[in-house]
Amino acid sequence: MRYPEGGGLTAERRAFREGIRLQAGVRFAAGEKTAVIARDLRVSVRSVERWRRAWREGGMEGLRSAGPANSPIVTDAQFAVLEEELGKGPSAHGFDDERWTLARVQTVIRRRLRVSLSVATVWRLLKRHGWSWQAPARRALERDEHAVEVEEGGVAAGKSLAAASGAWIVVEDEAGFSMTPPRARTWGRRGHTPVIRVRGRSRRRTSVAALCCYKPGDKSRLIHRPRTHLLLKGARKSFSWKDYRDLLVRAHIQLDGPIVVVWDNLNTHLAAGLKRYEAEHDWLTTIRLPAYAPDLNPVEAVWSLVRRAMANTAFATPDDLDRILRRELRRIQIRPHLIDGCLTATSLAINPPTPP
């Protein structure tokens, strides 16, 4: 290996290069020309000129290897300090945005550890300790992390209630899809940006409300209900509380058991009619998710899977949009492991009840 993990040349390569320089020194003493030596030794003319200057100043000893480079290192204890500093975020170190670059990490190392490293060495250091270049997740400024930790107890209480009563945990969310597809990277000739033809005047939009259903010992289920928005003046462009009621009734029938619904604080979810319906039916219980916490909702991962499959798709007609939506949701429905993976992405778990 020419360059080991720590950088620099191996002992074998240093000895090999020293031998070439010593051969050049012998030919310097014989009075041979620089171009001839460079051609015979298969090195650059500039390297031979540099060796000749060293030979004139120090003779053959000036051409010998100075040994391995004494490059600075960062110990594991120092890297632990560095990780703590990086965990504070770029803004804590005087940078304008929340983006760690190699140059910024290099600056923090120089300021905090008093060690000067090259950008390449910083890259190797981060890779060696499990760091990678990633796209950050977004979090709302209004989100209260302490409240999220406290209110997660409500979700846990819902899981305990479901386990005690043999009910399904049902997590709900809704999303909208338009005729303009999401974009994804694709190969193309350099200098020629790939183009996707879309309908510029289409205002057609389809909303989908979906339920991820979990119960220990049973296969996970995905139940969804689409709604096409009519382009009429005064027409409703979102789900009403009756639509949510009908979706929950459908889930109750398909799952054949009581359900504990976990959803966000959308004003429609808090409608008086929906609360009254819940009070009149003992098979239905609702639990609220913390505010501004979509990362606790597994249905968000379902939308991510659907949009990833629809990326760069040119919809010719609204029927094409509906057909592909049904196809992708059906693809997830028949793969319970994908629904389980969406729950895993939230860091929540549905544990079986503990026997008495």
Side-chain angles (χ1 to χ4, degrees), residues 90 111 116 137 148 166 171 175 181 197 212 231 240 251 259-260 305 335 352:
R111 292 175 180 173
S116 296
V148 168
V171 191
R197 301 292 181 182
C212 282
L231 300 179
S240 66
I259 61 176
V260 176
L305 291 174
R335 292 171 173 82

Side-chain angles (χ1 to χ4, degrees), residues 121-166:
T121 305
V122 172
W123 179 85
R124 288 194 296 269
L125 177 68
L126 295 177
K127 292 286 287 185
R128 188 161 59 245
H129 287 83
W131 286 62
S132 60
W133 182 256
Q134 304 177 30
R138 293 178 178 175
R139 291 283 174 85
L141 290 173
E142 299 85 353
R143 174 179 168 127
D144 186 348
E145 295 294 343
H146 176 70
V148 168
E149 293 179 4
V150 173
E151 293 184 30
E152 276 187 18
V155 180
K159 293 192 295 182
S160 301
L161 175 63
S165 60

